């Protein structure tokens, strides 16, 4: 990515035309310039319309993020200042009112006695005698010491001169007033006689309607914020994490939203969940069963859902299971190494004199590299910044040092012996990722050998309980066994999604799409305009998982006659074919070894008898004759096992090849991609981190648009006939 602003480097505004860019570059290129290479890169970026549009969109997102941070800081300072001003105003009003009461008591000392004799109405019904009165009370107006007129005392008993005249008149008219009042009362009691005769009906009365009253108009209703619709394609760890964190962040921001999750398989969890029934009521989980303690996002989600976590009891649990803790390395001709009690492969307590005698300080040097890679991953997990480019954040935390070279080249560069690489390191890389040190990135190799500090979910269903709980907390619509066939850009800036389930097809509009599945596995068709940025396709490892149970141990006849087989058998190429085979994948990388891993998983009870459950992970399907030979039988003999199960995984996990550039997260407007993480590493920890990052980017964009976006940015409520319905030919 260009670290310097291309517009600033060329001294051009962001609205510059292609001709202005070309002229400016030509002018600068004529003179000697210290940064001629950067000038050419800036010119190429601005002349490419797709790269320039994507760069401008990224700059706008970063600008909105900076403005939001400054706004939050300024809002906090403004809130503190307002609180202090209100407190000072309250104190000032209290002081003024106290001074008013003191002054009133000083000027009117008799106020207290009158206040005690006054009624509650004099204090406005509050019962508070300290409130100031707008009007004097009755006792203050007509009292013993209050004159009614100036110069006149209430105790004066002299009658006015006209009182005698009024008394004489009243005595004269009083009888007449009594007669008039009596007649009026009688008329009211007996009624007034009608002017019409009894035989003549009274004239019809015209009914009068009650007066119409005009009701006030209802108060205007508040506008309802626009509800965003977002689709997440894929219910694996990345898709589940995106939905979980998006629902939480959007709810905190009071953004109405609805999430729809599309998953092609019949369960939540994607490729990380694989349950195989071994006996009625008991399943064997051969998917991702653990995650690192550095995955704080998953640990917090488990705590929020009330799930218990406990450390895994063995660093090799996902390979050995609950069986024996011993392991050995077989190259198809002889045993390279056998360890009866491994614990952690590269722990310092695991060293012994035999290792020092065979490999010297190679174990310590390898452990230092594993620790450095782990610390770089922890920086990435603990980072709180939102990133729009995986390549940039990988370079920032220093992971590109491990991602851009092979494991073999990094180990050789740090003087790790070749026999240690072949006999100790390479078998664990093959056992976890079905690759060799010559093809896998150094980051993938170090993760394969790092077995420390992993957690499990203490539930019968394992980690799938975590995925299901995270989805349930979002109230999202989940469409399982649904294949998303294609996307088409909508006029409002969103996308029209075409899906198929059970032979039925549907078109649905969405404001945003999160592609949480690997680009090469989705078989997704983009109709209309091309994407701003198209992601890369990643190759995936193909493997066969074979399970069988028997009451017999694995025979050493197929392993150079070795007796006392270890519980876990890892493989590696022979010494004379190491250079060639270590740089191959698939069948070209197998060598003479017949499988990747052979493990004794655990003891089961079948038909009342106790048997051992075995698991084989191989590049090709294991035949019955091969199982018969492993148990010491001969060809065409009767089976020596009571049960077997074969499962073909076409894309178990990505092939982690060296690279320092990764697919972009923002593929187009309102189209986000989490599958870029598969180009770096595999695991639920990184998938959850990518899901949380995309959720924050989506919510940040919604906040910049506001609660009420323009109508042309909303999904049309009505459209042409058949806009959201279609036939098979229109998908």
């Amino acid at each position: 990515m260009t670290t310097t602003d291309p517009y600033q480097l060329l001294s051009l505004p962001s609205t510059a035309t292609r001709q202005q860019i070309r002229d400016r570059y030509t002018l600068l290129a004529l003179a000697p310039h210290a940064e001629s290479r950067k000038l050419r890169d800036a010119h190429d970026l601005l002349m490419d319309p797709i790269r320039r549009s994507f760069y401008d969109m990224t700059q706008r997102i970063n600008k909105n993020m900076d403005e939001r941070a400054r706004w939050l800081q300024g809002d906090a300072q403004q809130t503190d200042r307002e609180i202090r001003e209100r407190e000072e105003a309250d104190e000032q009003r209290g002081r003024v009112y106290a001074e008013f009461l003191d002054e009133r008591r000083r000027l009117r000392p008799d106020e207290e006695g009158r206040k005690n004799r006054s009624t509650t109405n004099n204090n406005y019904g509050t019962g508070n005698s300290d409130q100031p009165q707008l009007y004097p009370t009755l006792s203050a107006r007509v009292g013993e010491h209050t004159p009614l007129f100036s110069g006149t005392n209430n105790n004066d008993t002299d009658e006015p001169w006209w009182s005698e005249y009024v008394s004489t008149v009243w005595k004269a008219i009083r009888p007449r007033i009594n007669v008039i009042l009596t007649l009026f009362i009688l008329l009211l009691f007996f009624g007034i006689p009608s002017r019409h005769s009894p035989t003549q009906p009274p004239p019809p009365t015209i009914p009068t309607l009650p007066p119409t009253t005009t009701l006030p108009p209802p108060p205007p209703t508040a506008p309802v914020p626009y509800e965003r619709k977002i689709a997440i394609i894929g219910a694996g760890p990345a898709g589940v994490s995106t939905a979980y964190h998006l629902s939480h962040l959007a709810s905190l921001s009071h953004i109405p939203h609805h999430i729809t999750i599309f998953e092609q398989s019949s369960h939540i969890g994607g490729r990380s969940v694989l349950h195989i029934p071994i006996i009625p009521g008991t399943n064997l989980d051969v998917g991702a069963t653990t995650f690192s303690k550095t995955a704080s996002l998953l640990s917090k989600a488990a705590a929020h859902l009330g799930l218990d976590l406990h450390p895994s009891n063995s660093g090799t649990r996902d390979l050995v299971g609950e069986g024996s803790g011993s392991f050995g390395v077989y190259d198809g001709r002889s045993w390279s190494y056998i360890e009866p009690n491994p614990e952690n492969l590269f722990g310092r307590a695991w060293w012994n004199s035999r290792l020092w005698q065979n490999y010297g300080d190679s174990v310590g040097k390898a452990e230092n590299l594993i620790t450095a890679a782990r610390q770089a991953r922890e920086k990435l997990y603990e980072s709180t910044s939102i990133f729009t480019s995986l390549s940039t954040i990988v370079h920032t935390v220093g992971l590109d040092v491990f991602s851009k070279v092979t494991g073999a080249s990094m180990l050789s560069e740090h003087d790790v012996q070749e026999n240690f690489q072949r006999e100790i390191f390479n078998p664990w890389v093959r056992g976890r990722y079905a690759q060799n040190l010559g093809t896998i990135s150094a980051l993938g190799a170090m993760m394969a050998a790092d077995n420390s500090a992993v957690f499990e979910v203490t539930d019968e269903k394992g980690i799938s309980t975590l995925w299901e709980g995270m989805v349930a907390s979002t109230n999202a619509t989940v469409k399982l066994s649904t294949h998303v066939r294609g996307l088409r850009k909508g006029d409002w800036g969103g996308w029209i999604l075409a899906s198929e389930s059970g032979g039925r097809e549907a078109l649905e509009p969405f404001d945003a799409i999160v592609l949480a599945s690997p680009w090469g596995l989705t078989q997704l068709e983009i109709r209309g305009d091309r994407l701003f940025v198209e992601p890369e396709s990643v190759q995936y490892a193909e493997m066969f998982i074979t399970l069988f149970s028997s009451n017999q141990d694995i025979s050493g006849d197929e392993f150079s006659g070795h007796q006392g087989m270890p519980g876990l058998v890892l493989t590696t190429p022979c010494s004379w074919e190491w250079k060639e085979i270590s740089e191959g994948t698939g069948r070209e990388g197998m060598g003479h070894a017949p499988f990747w891993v052979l493990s004794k998983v655990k003891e089961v009870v079948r038909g009342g008898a106790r048997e051992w459950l075995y698991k084989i992970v191989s590049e090709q399907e294991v035949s019955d004759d091969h199982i018969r030979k492993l148990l010491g039988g001969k060809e065409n003999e009767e089976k020596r096992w009571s049960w077997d199960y074969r499962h073909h995984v076409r894309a178990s996990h990505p092939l982690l090849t060296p690279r320092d550039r990764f697919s972009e997260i923002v593929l187009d407007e309102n189209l986000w991609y989490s599958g870029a993480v598969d180009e770096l590493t595999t695991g639920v920890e990184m998938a959850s981190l990518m899901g949380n990052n995309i959720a924050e980017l989506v919510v940040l964009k919604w906040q910049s648009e506001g609660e009420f976006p323009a109508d042309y940015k909303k999904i049309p409520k009505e459209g042409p006939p058949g806009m959201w319905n279609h036939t098979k030919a229109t998908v």
Side-chain angles (χ1 to χ4, degrees):
M1 294 185 60
T2 304
T3 57
T4 306
D5 186 1
Y7 296 107
Q8 181 180 1
L9 194 61
L10 296 176
S11 301
L12 290 173
S14 59
T15 58
T17 63
R18 293 170 60 89
Q19 184 62 37
Q20 292 173 344
I21 296 171
R22 187 181 298 107
D23 295 342
R24 183 61 179 173
Y25 173 73
T26 303
L27 180 61
L28 294 176
L30 292 176
H33 202 284
E35 297 181 346
S36 58
R37 178 63 180 272
K38 294 184 178 180
L39 289 175
R40 185 169 65 256
D41 293 342
H43 170 264
D44 296 342
L45 188 147
L46 296 181
M47 292 299 293
D48 189 340
I50 295 179
R51 294 176 60 195
R52 181 179 180 182
S53 300
F54 181 75
Y55 175 81
D56 292 342
M57 179 175 60
T58 304
Q59 292 298 105
R60 288 195 297 272
I61 292 177
N62 294 334
K63 181 179 179 182
N64 291 336
M65 291 166 53
D66 295 339
E67 291 178 354
R68 177 170 177 249
R70 289 194 298 270
W71 177 82
L72 291 175
Q73 183 177 4
D75 185 64
Q77 296 175 356
Q78 178 70 16
T79 302
D80 294 340
R81 185 166 57 254
E82 291 177 354
I83 292 175
R84 290 195 301 270
E85 291 176 356
R86 286 198 297 269
E87 291 177 351
E88 293 175 359
D90 292 342
E91 293 177 359
Q92 181 67 19
R93 284 195 294 271
R95 288 194 299 268
V96 172
Y97 185 62
E99 293 175 359
F100 163 75
L101 292 179
D102 295 340
E103 183 67 17
R104 190 179 68 173
R105 292 190 186 99
R106 186 180 65 81
L107 297 177
R108 300 169 64 180
D110 59 339
E111 181 79 15
E112 297 298 329
R114 290 196 303 273
K115 283 192 293 185
N116 293 335
R117 294 190 300 270
S118 62
T119 62
T120 21
N121 293 333
N122 303 131
N123 296 319
Y124 309 100
T126 62
N128 184 2
S129 60
D130 292 335
Q131 295 290 339
Q133 300 182 9
L134 297 177
Y135 303 99
T137 60
L138 183 61
S139 61
R141 293 199 308 270
V142 187
E144 181 178 1
H145 303 288
T146 306
L148 186 60
F149 299 101
S150 177
T152 305
N153 195 323
N154 285 343
N155 295 329
D156 190 2
T157 58
D158 294 339
E159 296 182 0
W161 59 270
W162 43 263
S163 62
E164 184 177 357
Y165 175 76
V166 173
S167 177
T168 303
V169 174
W170 171 249
K171 290 179 181 180
I173 67 174
R174 182 175 180 179
R176 293 176 176 83
I177 293 177
N178 290 338
V179 173
I180 294 173
L181 290 176
T182 302
L183 292 175
F184 182 73
I185 292 173
L186 291 175
L187 289 175
L188 290 177
F189 184 76
F190 292 104
I192 302 175
S194 175
R195 293 183 292 110
H196 305 280
S197 62
T199 59
Q200 183 180 1
T205 59
I206 299 175
T208 59
L209 297 175
T212 59
T213 58
T214 303
L215 297 177
T221 57
V224 179
Y226 179 63
E227 182 184 52
R228 267 82 171 186
K229 293 179 61 180
I230 184 170
I232 299 176
I233 303 175
V240 170
S241 299
T242 302
Y244 177 79
H245 295 290
L246 177 64
S247 176
H248 178 67
L249 294 173
S251 299
L252 289 179
S253 302
H254 305 288
I255 300 177
H257 63 283
H258 182 74
I259 302 173
T260 303
I261 302 176
F262 295 87
E263 171 56 39
Q264 189 169 359
S265 64
S266 60
H267 61 272
I268 296 175
R271 292 178 287 116
S272 67
V273 175
L274 179 57
H275 299 297
I276 298 178
I278 52 178
I279 56 177
T282 302
N283 294 330
L284 177 65
D285 191 354
V286 296
T289 59
T290 61
F291 57 86
S292 171
K293 71 173 183 179
T294 57
S296 58
L297 293 172
L298 293 179
S299 300
K300 292 178 181 178
H304 176 256
L305 298 174
L307 299 177
D308 294 329
L309 301 176
H310 70 84
S312 177
N313 62 356
S314 172
T316 60
R317 180 176 175 81
D318 56 338
L319 295 176
V320 181
E322 299 176 2
S324 171
S326 60
F327 82 94
V329 178
Y330 186 69
D331 61 11
R333 292 290 185 268
S334 61
W335 289 90
S336 300
Y337 188 86
I338 295 179
E339 173 58 46
N341 187 20
E343 291 298 331
N344 193 334
L345 178 61
F346 293 101
R348 291 187 181 276
W350 185 68
W351 295 4
N352 54 43
S353 59
R354 186 161 62 94
L355 282 176
W356 277 103
Q357 181 180 359
N358 293 339
Y359 309 114
D361 60 350
S362 293
V363 179
K365 293 177 179 178
E367 184 184 6
N368 292 334
L369 292 175
I370 295 171
T371 303
R374 184 194 309 142
Q375 292 174 350
R377 296 202 318 272
E378 290 175 354
K379 289 181 181 179
L380 183 61
Y381 298 148
E382 296 170 358
S383 175
T384 58
S385 59
I386 306 174
F387 54 91
T388 57
S389 172
L390 182 61
S391 302
T392 302
I393 192 67
V394 167
H395 175 73
T396 302
V397 300
L399 271 179
D400 59 334
V401 176
F402 296 91
S403 68
K404 64 184 179 181
V405 297
T406 64
S409 62
M410 174 162 281
L411 292 172
S412 299
E413 183 181 350
H414 288 79
D415 299 327
V416 177
Q417 297 180 13
E418 184 177 294
N419 60 339
F420 179 81
Q421 297 181 33
R422 184 185 74 86
E423 298 174 5
I424 300 296
F425 216 115
N426 193 67
W428 288 84
V429 173
R430 289 163 64 101
R432 286 186 177 271
Y433 298 131
Q435 288 184 254
N436 291 305
L437 280 174
T439 61
I440 194 171
S441 67
L443 178 61
M446 302 307 152
M447 291 180 62
D450 189 1
N451 300 323
S452 61
V454 293
F455 290 97
E456 296 176 307
V457 178
T458 57
D459 187 85
E460 294 181 357
K461 297 176 65 176
I463 201 171
S464 61
T465 306
L466 177 61
W467 308 136
E468 294 173 359
M470 292 173 68
V471 171
S473 65
T474 65
N475 295 323
T477 300
V478 182
K479 297 186 177 183
L480 300 177
S481 303
T482 303
H483 173 56
V484 177
R485 302 184 60 181
L487 297 174
R488 182 189 293 273
K489 189 69 174 293
D491 296 336
W492 67 95
W495 295 85
I496 303 173
L497 183 147
S499 62
E500 181 180 4
S501 177
R504 302 183 61 182
E505 301 170 348
L507 284 179
E508 298 179 70
F510 292 96
D511 295 288
I513 301 288
V514 176
L515 183 57
S517 295
W519 178 258
L521 300 181
T522 57
Q523 300 178 353
L524 193 65
E525 182 180 0
I526 304 296
R527 291 292 185 94
D529 298 336
R530 292 180 56 187
L531 298 178
F532 285 165
V533 180
E534 188 168 317
E536 298 183 13
S537 295
V538 181
Q539 293 183 339
Y540 283 77
E542 181 181 10
M543 62 175 54
F544 290 84
I545 299 177
T546 305
L547 300 174
F548 62 94
S549 62
S550 175
N551 57 5
Q552 298 188 17
D553 291 330
I554 297 295
S555 173
D557 295 340
E558 287 294 305
F559 299 91
S560 303
H562 179 78
Q563 301 300 322
M565 291 289 295
L568 171 67
V569 179
L570 303 175
T571 62
T572 192
C574 297
S575 58
W576 48 270
E577 62 180 357
W578 164 247
K579 289 291 186 181
E580 178 183 358
I581 298 299
S582 65
E583 297 179 357
T585 58
R587 293 188 179 181
E588 290 76 12
M590 285 296 298
H592 283 77
F595 48 76
W596 301 112
V597 181
L598 168 61
S599 61
K600 180 188 290 186
V601 181
K602 63 179 180 179
E603 197 176 48
V604 296
V605 177
R606 183 179 300 278
R610 306 181 73 85
E611 298 179 346
W612 281 109
L613 177 65
Y614 296 97
K615 179 176 72 171
I616 301 176
V617 180
S618 57
E619 189 274 333
Q620 56 186 356
E621 187 175 2
V622 177
S623 63
D624 287 350
D625 288 340
H626 192 183
I627 298 177
R628 189 177 289 107
K629 293 179 180 179
L630 290 175
L631 296 175
K634 296 181 180 180
E635 191 174 353
N636 298 327
E637 276 189 357
E638 187 176 334
K639 285 186 176 182
R640 297 191 177 189
W641 65 97
S642 61
W643 172 86
D644 62 75
Y645 180 89
R646 293 172 173 85
H647 183 74
H648 182 201
V649 185
R650 298 187 181 276
S652 61
H653 48 264
L655 296 178
L656 304 177
T657 57
R659 64 177 69 204
D660 59 352
R661 304 290 298 176
F662 306 93
S663 297
E664 296 294 339
I665 299 174
V666 183
L667 301 182
D668 207 318
E669 183 182 9
N670 294 315
L671 180 60
W672 317 84
Y673 181 55
S674 68
V677 68
D678 279 357
E679 303 168 16
L680 175 66
T681 181
T682 180
V684 296
E685 301 94 341
M686 192 63 189
S688 65
L689 177 66
M690 180 64 79
N692 176 73
N693 181 73
I694 290 181
E696 293 196 30
L697 289 174
V698 173
V699 172
L700 186 63
K701 186 176 188 302
W702 287 351
Q703 289 176 341
S704 65
E705 295 174 350
E707 296 181 345
F708 307 98
D711 291 339
Y712 68 88
K713 289 188 176 182
K714 298 180 182 179
I715 298 176
K717 295 182 180 179
E718 297 180 359
M723 183 175 183
W724 309 132
N725 300 318
H726 67 290
T727 61
K728 187 173 183 179
T730 63
V731 175

